[in-house]
PDB file of all heavy atoms in Angstrom:
ATOM      1  N   GLU A 148       7.203 -14.467  -7.547  1.00 98.00           N
ATOM      2  CA  GLU A 148       6.773 -13.438  -8.501  1.00 98.00           C
ATOM      3  C   GLU A 148       7.808 -12.324  -8.503  1.00 98.00           C
ATOM      4  O   GLU A 148       8.360 -11.968  -7.452  1.00 98.00           O
ATOM      5  CB  GLU A 148       5.404 -12.865  -8.106  1.00 98.00           C
ATOM      6  CG  GLU A 148       4.289 -13.885  -7.982  1.00 98.00           C
ATOM      7  CD  GLU A 148       3.655 -14.225  -9.317  1.00 98.00           C
ATOM      8  OE1 GLU A 148       4.086 -13.636 -10.335  1.00 98.00           O
ATOM      9  OE2 GLU A 148       2.738 -15.054  -9.340  1.00 98.00           O
ATOM     10  N   THR A 149       8.063 -11.751  -9.678  1.00 98.00           N
ATOM     11  CA  THR A 149       9.051 -10.681  -9.801  1.00 98.00           C
ATOM     12  C   THR A 149       8.476  -9.503 -10.572  1.00 98.00           C
ATOM     13  O   THR A 149       7.878  -9.686 -11.642  1.00 98.00           O
ATOM     14  CB  THR A 149      10.319 -11.189 -10.509  1.00 98.00           C
ATOM     15  OG1 THR A 149      10.907 -12.235  -9.742  1.00 98.00           O
ATOM     16  CG2 THR A 149      11.338 -10.069 -10.650  1.00 98.00           C
ATOM     17  N   ALA A 150       8.647  -8.302 -10.020  1.00 98.00           N
ATOM     18  CA  ALA A 150       8.311  -7.066 -10.720  1.00 98.00           C
ATOM     19  C   ALA A 150       9.603  -6.469 -11.262  1.00 98.00           C
ATOM     20  O   ALA A 150      10.579  -6.327 -10.521  1.00 98.00           O
ATOM     21  CB  ALA A 150       7.623  -6.096  -9.779  1.00 98.00           C
ATOM     22  N   ARG A 151       9.617  -6.121 -12.532  1.00 98.00           N
ATOM     23  CA  ARG A 151      10.824  -5.618 -13.188  1.00 98.00           C
ATOM     24  C   ARG A 151      10.615  -4.150 -13.580  1.00 98.00           C
ATOM     25  O   ARG A 151       9.777  -3.834 -14.414  1.00 98.00           O
ATOM     26  CB  ARG A 151      11.152  -6.469 -14.414  1.00 98.00           C
ATOM     27  CG  ARG A 151      11.304  -7.950 -14.076  1.00 98.00           C
ATOM     28  CD  ARG A 151      11.665  -8.796 -15.289  1.00 98.00           C
ATOM     29  NE  ARG A 151      11.672 -10.222 -14.951  1.00 98.00           N
ATOM     30  CZ  ARG A 151      12.679 -10.840 -14.358  1.00 98.00           C
ATOM     31  NH1 ARG A 151      13.777 -10.169 -14.072  1.00 98.00           N
ATOM     32  NH2 ARG A 151      12.612 -12.132 -14.065  1.00 98.00           N
ATOM     33  N   GLY A 152      11.395  -3.284 -12.946  1.00 98.00           N
ATOM     34  CA  GLY A 152      11.282  -1.865 -13.213  1.00 98.00           C
ATOM     35  C   GLY A 152      12.395  -1.372 -14.118  1.00 98.00           C
ATOM     36  O   GLY A 152      13.565  -1.687 -13.898  1.00 98.00           O
ATOM     37  N   SER A 153      12.034  -0.603 -15.138  1.00 98.00           N
ATOM     38  CA  SER A 153      13.022  -0.051 -16.064  1.00 98.00           C
ATOM     39  C   SER A 153      12.589   1.347 -16.478  1.00 98.00           C
ATOM     40  O   SER A 153      11.477   1.785 -16.180  1.00 98.00           O
ATOM     41  CB  SER A 153      13.157  -0.941 -17.302  1.00 98.00           C
ATOM     42  OG  SER A 153      11.982  -0.878 -18.095  1.00 98.00           O
ATOM     43  N   LEU A 154      13.482   2.031 -17.186  1.00 98.00           N
ATOM     44  CA  LEU A 154      13.216   3.403 -17.612  1.00 98.00           C
ATOM     45  C   LEU A 154      12.642   3.474 -19.025  1.00 98.00           C
ATOM     46  O   LEU A 154      12.818   4.475 -19.720  1.00 98.00           O
ATOM     47  CB  LEU A 154      14.504   4.229 -17.521  1.00 98.00           C
ATOM     48  CG  LEU A 154      15.129   4.326 -16.125  1.00 98.00           C
ATOM     49  CD1 LEU A 154      16.409   5.166 -16.182  1.00 98.00           C
ATOM     50  CD2 LEU A 154      14.147   4.901 -15.114  1.00 98.00           C
ATOM     51  N   LEU A 155      11.923   2.455 -19.422  1.00 98.00           N
ATOM     52  CA  LEU A 155      11.248   2.512 -20.719  1.00 98.00           C
ATOM     53  C   LEU A 155      10.287   3.696 -20.736  1.00 98.00           C
ATOM     54  O   LEU A 155       9.570   3.944 -19.756  1.00 98.00           O
ATOM     55  CB  LEU A 155      10.485   1.222 -20.978  1.00 98.00           C
ATOM     56  CG  LEU A 155      11.322  -0.019 -21.318  1.00 98.00           C
ATOM     57  CD1 LEU A 155      10.431  -1.255 -21.393  1.00 98.00           C
ATOM     58  CD2 LEU A 155      12.063   0.178 -22.629  1.00 98.00           C
ATOM     59  N   PRO A 156      10.245   4.459 -21.843  1.00 97.00           N
ATOM     60  CA  PRO A 156       9.399   5.658 -21.887  1.00 97.00           C
ATOM     61  C   PRO A 156       7.930   5.385 -21.555  1.00 97.00           C
ATOM     62  O   PRO A 156       7.264   6.247 -20.966  1.00 97.00           O
ATOM     63  CB  PRO A 156       9.565   6.140 -23.334  1.00 97.00           C
ATOM     64  CG  PRO A 156      10.919   5.641 -23.739  1.00 97.00           C
ATOM     65  CD  PRO A 156      11.075   4.317 -23.059  1.00 97.00           C
ATOM     66  N   VAL A 157       7.423   4.216 -21.905  1.00 97.00           N
ATOM     67  CA  VAL A 157       6.013   3.921 -21.676  1.00 97.00           C
ATOM     68  C   VAL A 157       5.677   3.892 -20.186  1.00 97.00           C
ATOM     69  O   VAL A 157       4.511   4.045 -19.799  1.00 97.00           O
ATOM     70  CB  VAL A 157       5.637   2.573 -22.342  1.00 97.00           C
ATOM     71  CG1 VAL A 157       6.292   1.398 -21.629  1.00 97.00           C
ATOM     72  CG2 VAL A 157       4.128   2.405 -22.408  1.00 97.00           C
ATOM     73  N   TRP A 158       6.702   3.728 -19.308  1.00 97.00           N
ATOM     74  CA  TRP A 158       6.465   3.626 -17.872  1.00 97.00           C
ATOM     75  C   TRP A 158       6.660   4.966 -17.152  1.00 97.00           C
ATOM     76  O   TRP A 158       6.573   5.021 -15.926  1.00 97.00           O
ATOM     77  CB  TRP A 158       7.395   2.587 -17.256  1.00 97.00           C
ATOM     78  CG  TRP A 158       6.984   1.172 -17.535  1.00 97.00           C
ATOM     79  CD1 TRP A 158       7.565   0.301 -18.411  1.00 97.00           C
ATOM     80  CD2 TRP A 158       5.907   0.468 -16.925  1.00 97.00           C
ATOM     81  NE1 TRP A 158       6.920  -0.912 -18.388  1.00 97.00           N
ATOM     82  CE2 TRP A 158       5.888  -0.835 -17.481  1.00 97.00           C
ATOM     83  CE3 TRP A 158       4.955   0.801 -15.957  1.00 97.00           C
ATOM     84  CZ2 TRP A 158       4.953  -1.794 -17.107  1.00 97.00           C
ATOM     85  CZ3 TRP A 158       4.014  -0.151 -15.593  1.00 97.00           C
ATOM     86  CH2 TRP A 158       4.023  -1.426 -16.157  1.00 97.00           C
ATOM     87  N   GLU A 159       6.929   6.057 -17.889  1.00 97.00           N
ATOM     88  CA  GLU A 159       7.133   7.336 -17.224  1.00 97.00           C
ATOM     89  C   GLU A 159       5.826   7.852 -16.624  1.00 97.00           C
ATOM     90  O   GLU A 159       4.766   7.805 -17.264  1.00 97.00           O
ATOM     91  CB  GLU A 159       7.693   8.376 -18.189  1.00 97.00           C
ATOM     92  CG  GLU A 159       8.050   9.684 -17.508  1.00 97.00           C
ATOM     93  CD  GLU A 159       8.744  10.667 -18.425  1.00 97.00           C
ATOM     94  OE1 GLU A 159       8.842  10.389 -19.642  1.00 97.00           O
ATOM     95  OE2 GLU A 159       9.200  11.719 -17.925  1.00 97.00           O
ATOM     96  N   VAL A 160       5.895   8.349 -15.382  1.00 95.00           N
ATOM     97  CA  VAL A 160       4.714   8.863 -14.689  1.00 95.00           C
ATOM     98  C   VAL A 160       5.027  10.255 -14.152  1.00 95.00           C
ATOM     99  O   VAL A 160       6.181  10.699 -14.128  1.00 95.00           O
ATOM    100  CB  VAL A 160       4.289   7.943 -13.524  1.00 95.00           C
ATOM    101  CG1 VAL A 160       3.938   6.551 -14.030  1.00 95.00           C
ATOM    102  CG2 VAL A 160       5.369   7.857 -12.454  1.00 95.00           C
ATOM    103  N   ASN A 161       3.978  10.948 -13.709  1.00 92.00           N
ATOM    104  CA  ASN A 161       4.121  12.230 -13.026  1.00 92.00           C
ATOM    105  C   ASN A 161       3.050  12.307 -11.943  1.00 92.00           C
ATOM    106  O   ASN A 161       2.329  11.328 -11.699  1.00 92.00           O
ATOM    107  CB  ASN A 161       4.013  13.401 -14.012  1.00 92.00           C
ATOM    108  CG  ASN A 161       2.749  13.325 -14.843  1.00 92.00           C
ATOM    109  OD1 ASN A 161       1.734  12.766 -14.421  1.00 92.00           O
ATOM    110  ND2 ASN A 161       2.791  13.896 -16.043  1.00 92.00           N
ATOM    111  N   ASP A 162       2.916  13.465 -11.293  1.00 89.00           N
ATOM    112  CA  ASP A 162       1.935  13.578 -10.213  1.00 89.00           C
ATOM    113  C   ASP A 162       0.518  13.289 -10.694  1.00 89.00           C
ATOM    114  O   ASP A 162      -0.290  12.704  -9.970  1.00 89.00           O
ATOM    115  CB  ASP A 162       1.997  14.972  -9.594  1.00 89.00           C
ATOM    116  CG  ASP A 162       3.141  15.118  -8.607  1.00 89.00           C
ATOM    117  OD1 ASP A 162       3.809  14.096  -8.321  1.00 89.00           O
ATOM    118  OD2 ASP A 162       3.379  16.247  -8.124  1.00 89.00           O
ATOM    119  N   GLN A 163       0.196  13.706 -11.919  1.00 87.00           N
ATOM    120  CA  GLN A 163      -1.146  13.449 -12.431  1.00 87.00           C
ATOM    121  C   GLN A 163      -1.391  11.949 -12.547  1.00 87.00           C
ATOM    122  O   GLN A 163      -2.459  11.454 -12.154  1.00 87.00           O
ATOM    123  CB  GLN A 163      -1.336  14.114 -13.794  1.00 87.00           C
ATOM    124  CG  GLN A 163      -2.726  13.824 -14.391  1.00 87.00           C
ATOM    125  CD  GLN A 163      -2.974  14.583 -15.680  1.00 87.00           C
ATOM    126  OE1 GLN A 163      -2.200  15.457 -16.043  1.00 87.00           O
ATOM    127  NE2 GLN A 163      -4.055  14.249 -16.358  1.00 87.00           N
ATOM    128  N   THR A 164      -0.415  11.219 -13.071  1.00 88.00           N
ATOM    129  CA  THR A 164      -0.562   9.772 -13.197  1.00 88.00           C
ATOM    130  C   THR A 164      -0.740   9.124 -11.837  1.00 88.00           C
ATOM    131  O   THR A 164      -1.590   8.239 -11.649  1.00 88.00           O
ATOM    132  CB  THR A 164       0.673   9.168 -13.890  1.00 88.00           C
ATOM    133  OG1 THR A 164       0.992   9.915 -15.056  1.00 88.00           O
ATOM    134  CG2 THR A 164       0.426   7.711 -14.262  1.00 88.00           C
ATOM    135  N   ILE A 165       0.066   9.549 -10.875  1.00 88.00           N
ATOM    136  CA  ILE A 165      -0.022   8.975  -9.533  1.00 88.00           C
ATOM    137  C   ILE A 165      -1.386   9.258  -8.918  1.00 88.00           C
ATOM    138  O   ILE A 165      -2.020   8.373  -8.320  1.00 88.00           O
ATOM    139  CB  ILE A 165       1.110   9.527  -8.650  1.00 88.00           C
ATOM    140  CG1 ILE A 165       2.469   9.050  -9.189  1.00 88.00           C
ATOM    141  CG2 ILE A 165       0.932   9.090  -7.198  1.00 88.00           C
ATOM    142  CD1 ILE A 165       3.658   9.699  -8.507  1.00 88.00           C
ATOM    143  N   MET A 166      -1.883  10.493  -9.051  1.00 87.00           N
ATOM    144  CA  MET A 166      -3.187  10.840  -8.497  1.00 87.00           C
ATOM    145  C   MET A 166      -4.301  10.021  -9.135  1.00 87.00           C
ATOM    146  O   MET A 166      -5.207   9.537  -8.458  1.00 87.00           O
ATOM    147  CB  MET A 166      -3.444  12.332  -8.665  1.00 87.00           C
ATOM    148  CG  MET A 166      -2.635  13.196  -7.705  1.00 87.00           C
ATOM    149  SD  MET A 166      -3.131  14.941  -7.693  1.00 87.00           S
ATOM    150  CE  MET A 166      -2.233  15.559  -9.104  1.00 87.00           C
TER     151      MET A 166
END
Side-chain angles (χ1 to χ4, degrees):
E148 303 277 359
T149 299
R151 304 181 186 279
S153 69
L154 300 180
L155 287 174
V157 69
W158 284 105
E159 186 174 7
V160 299
N161 53 27
D162 280 354
Q163 178 175 350
T164 312
I165 295 172
M166 286 190 277

